[in-house]
C-alpha cells in the first residue's frame, strides 16, 4: 500500500460554505452524516459513502450547527434565523422549533435523546426537555461573548462550551453553575469531546490541544502548519486530523505530534473535520461548499473506495458517479 494517493470522495450539493458536520453512531443500517451550510439547507448523507439522503427545509438563514442523535432518528440544527430545530431524520419533517433572541451557533443531543442543548450569540447555553417541549429551558449564564460550541458530557450531568470570549467552560446541570474554566490566548475555533468522554480536543490559532476532561488539565498540545479551524481525535486515540486556512487536511500521531501525511483536496479553507464513529474515515467541510470523505488508511477497501494501486479506474469511476449523484437537485 506504499505511496498510494488519497482520493477523497467529494459530496456536492451545497451552494455556500459548509461550516459544521456531525456523525451518528453506527446503527443497524450503517452510520450517517449531517452538514451545516450557510445556504440554510442542512443535508443528511450515508456516512461511509456520502450518498445524499435528504435535505431539511425550513430555516430562513445560514445554518451554523448540526447534530444527530446516536441512532440517527433525530436531527438538530441551529441557524441565523434565531431558531434551533429538531427534525425527524427518517421522514425529514420538522418536530420542534425553539425560538432564540440571536443566532444559534451550536446544537447537541443528550446521549438518551431526551434533551437538546443550544449555544447562541446571546451568550447563553440552554437545555430543552424534548419530552416537555413547551416548558421553559434551563439557562446557563456566564459567557461574555457569543458561544461557538456546546455539548453534553459526563453522562449528561454536565455541559462543556467554548465561546468568542476565549474561554471554555464546564457547567453543572443540577446547579446551572459554571464549575470549571479554561482561558485561551485566542478564540477556540473548535471543540470535540472524545467518544468515551475522557478527552476534550480544542483548536486555537495554529495549536491543537488535548485536555483531560475531569480536571481540565492539559494532556498535550501541538503546533500545526496552519491556523487550525477544526481537529478530531480518532476513536482509538492513536491519531488526530485537522484542517484550516491553507486548504490542507493533516494527519498526526497523537502521542508524538509527528505529521503522518497531508493532502490538499478542497479549494477553500477547511472549517470542520470529524472522524466517523468506526474511525475508518474522516469528513471535512469547506468554504468551497463541499464535504469530502478521506480514508484513514489510504488504499483500504471500504465504502466506495478500492485500492488505488490495484484498481484506479474503479475508484475514479466511483468518485465520478458519486459526484454526479450529489448534483441532482433535492426534491
Amino acid at each position: 500500500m506504499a505511496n498510494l494517493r488519497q482520493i477523497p470522495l467529494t459530496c456536492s450539493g451545497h451552494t455556500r460554505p459548509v461550516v459544521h458536520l456531525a456523525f451518528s453512531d453506527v446503527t443497524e443500517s450503517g452510520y450517517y452524516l449531517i452538514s451545516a451550510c450557510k445556504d440554510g439547507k442542512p443535508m443528511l448523507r450515508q456516512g461511509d459513502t456520502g450518498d445524499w439522503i435528504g435535505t431539511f427545509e425550513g430555516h430562513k438563514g445560514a445554518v451554523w450547527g448540526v447534530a444527530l442523535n446516536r441512532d440517527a432518528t433525530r436531527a438538530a440544527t441551529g441557524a441565523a434565523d434565531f431558531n434551533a430545530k429538531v427534525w425527524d431524520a427518517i421522514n425529514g419533517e420538522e418536530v420542534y422549533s425553539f425560538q432564540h433572541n440571536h443566532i444559534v451557533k451550536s446544537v447537541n443531543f443528550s446521549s438518551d435523546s431526551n434533551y437538546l442543548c443550544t449555544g447562541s450569540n446571546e451568550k447563553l447555553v440552554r437545555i430543552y426537555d424534548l419530552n416537555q417541549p413547551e416548558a421553559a429551558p434551563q439557562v446557563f449564564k456566564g459567557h461574555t461573548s457569543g458561544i461557538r460550541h456546546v455539548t453534553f458530557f459526563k453522562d449528561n450531568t454536565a455541559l462543556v462550551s467554548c465561546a468568542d470570549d476565549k474561554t471554555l467552560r464546564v457547567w453543572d446541570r443540577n446547579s446551572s453553575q459554571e464549575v470549571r474554566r479554561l482561558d485561551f490566548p485566542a478564540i477556540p475555533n473548535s471543540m470535540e469531546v472524545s467518544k468515551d468522554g475522557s478527552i476534550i480536543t480544542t483548536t486555537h490559532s495554529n495549536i491543537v490541544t488535548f485536555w483531560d476532561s475531569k480536571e481540565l488539565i492539559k494532556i498535550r498540545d501541538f503546533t500545526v502548519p496552519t491556523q487550525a479551524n477544526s481537529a478530531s481525535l480518532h476513536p482509538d486515540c492513536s491519531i488526530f486530523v485537522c484542517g484550516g486556512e491553507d486548504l490542507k487536511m493533516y494527519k498526526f500521531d497523537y502521542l508524538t505530534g509527528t505529521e503522518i501525511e497531508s493532502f490538499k483536496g478542497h479549494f477553500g479553507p477547511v472549517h470542520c473535520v470529524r472522524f466517523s464513529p468506526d474511525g475508518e474515515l474522516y469528513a471535512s467541510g469547506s468554504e468551497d461548499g463541499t464535504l469530502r470523505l478521506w480514508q484513514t488508511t489510504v488504499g483500504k477497501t471500504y465504502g466506495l473506495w478500492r485500492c488505488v494501486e490495484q484498481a484506479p479506474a474503479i475508484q475514479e469511476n466511483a468518485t465520478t458517479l458519486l459526484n454526479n449523484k450529489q448534483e441532482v437537485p433535492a426534491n
Side-chain angles (χ1 to χ4, degrees):
M1 298 295 180
N3 301 316
L4 292 181
R5 182 165 60 97
Q6 172 82 273
I7 298 180
L9 303 178
T10 303
C11 305
S12 304
H14 284 301
T15 59
R16 295 197 63 201
V18 178
V19 292
H20 192 241
L21 55 86
F23 284 100
S24 71
D25 282 0
V26 178
T27 73
E28 291 183 356
S29 55
Y31 60 88
Y32 298 88
L33 171 65
I34 188 172
S35 54
C37 182
K38 290 184 180 180
D39 63 12
K41 297 182 183 297
M43 291 185 176
L44 182 69
R45 302 175 188 271
Q46 191 73 37
D48 61 342
T49 65
D51 282 312
W52 176 84
I53 295 172
T55 300
F56 299 101
E57 307 243 5
H59 280 296
K60 296 180 174 61
V63 174
W64 286 98
V66 286
L68 289 171
N69 66 348
R70 289 185 168 182
D71 61 5
T73 58
R74 289 285 187 267
T77 54
D81 60 8
F82 298 6
N83 282 291
K85 294 182 183 289
V86 175
W87 310 80
D88 184 316
I90 308 300
N91 62 28
E93 296 296 320
E94 180 181 312
V95 180
Y96 307 119
S97 186
F98 300 109
Q99 178 74 41
H100 291 61
N101 295 315
H102 214 304
I103 296 170
V104 183
K105 284 290 186 71
S106 183
V107 290
N108 263 300
F109 290 101
S110 59
S111 61
D112 59 10
S113 304
N114 288 326
Y115 297 89
L116 179 78
C117 64
T118 69
S120 71
N121 280 2
E122 296 171 80
K123 312 169 192 176
L124 300 175
V125 170
R126 292 180 171 90
I127 294 178
Y128 294 87
D129 185 342
L130 299 182
N131 294 314
Q132 302 180 68
E134 301 300 324
Q138 183 179 4
V139 179
F140 302 77
K141 301 179 180 179
H143 279 295
T144 58
S145 293
I147 293 163
R148 293 207 167 203
H149 302 284
V150 61
T151 190
F152 291 94
F153 83 134
K154 294 187 177 180
D155 295 322
N156 302 320
T157 63
L159 297 169
V160 58
S161 59
C162 67
D164 288 343
D165 60 11
K166 302 180 183 178
T167 70
L168 179 149
R169 303 177 193 231
V170 176
W171 310 87
D172 177 72
R173 281 186 68 183
N174 288 329
S175 65
S176 301
Q177 297 300 306
E178 175 189 316
V179 291
R180 294 193 185 278
R181 167 175 166 167
L182 287 173
D183 290 274
F184 293 83
I187 293 171
N189 291 318
S190 72
M191 178 188 74
E192 177 191 71
V193 178
S194 63
K195 188 173 180 62
D196 66 2
S198 65
I199 299 172
I200 299 172
T201 303
T202 62
T203 61
H204 72 276
S205 186
N206 62 335
I207 298 172
V208 180
T209 309
F210 303 95
W211 308 88
D212 175 90
S213 66
K214 290 183 179 179
E215 303 295 334
L216 290 192
I217 296 172
K218 184 191 298 182
I219 301 170
R220 53 180 60 88
D221 63 7
F222 302 111
T223 300
V224 298
T226 186
Q227 176 179 308
N229 293 329
S230 184
S232 185
L233 181 62
H234 192 277
D236 70 6
C237 299
S238 61
I239 57 173
F240 70 93
V241 294
C242 68
E245 292 300 302
D246 69 356
L247 286 56
K248 288 184 178 181
M249 286 298 303
Y250 291 91
K251 183 194 296 180
F252 297 90
D253 184 284
Y254 170 68
L255 294 177
T256 66
T258 301
E259 182 180 321
I260 298 170
E261 57 195 19
S262 63
F263 300 105
K264 185 175 179 181
H266 284 293
F267 296 97
V270 177
H271 293 313
C272 47
V273 300
R274 278 294 181 272
F275 271 106
S276 61
D278 62 2
E280 292 289 349
L281 63 82
Y282 48 99
S284 58
S286 169
E287 183 74 17
D288 67 14
T290 68
L291 288 98
R292 293 176 192 257
L293 305 183
W294 309 78
Q295 283 189 288
T296 302
T297 303
V298 181
K300 184 174 181 178
T301 300
Y302 181 84
L304 292 184
W305 284 284
R306 297 294 184 270
C307 178
V308 178
E309 189 175 59
Q310 297 173 354
I314 294 175
Q315 172 61 59
E316 295 287 358
N317 187 51
T319 304
T320 300
L321 288 172
L322 177 61
N323 291 346
N324 291 340
K325 182 169 186 176
Q326 304 312 324
E327 290 167 2
V328 177
N331 291 327

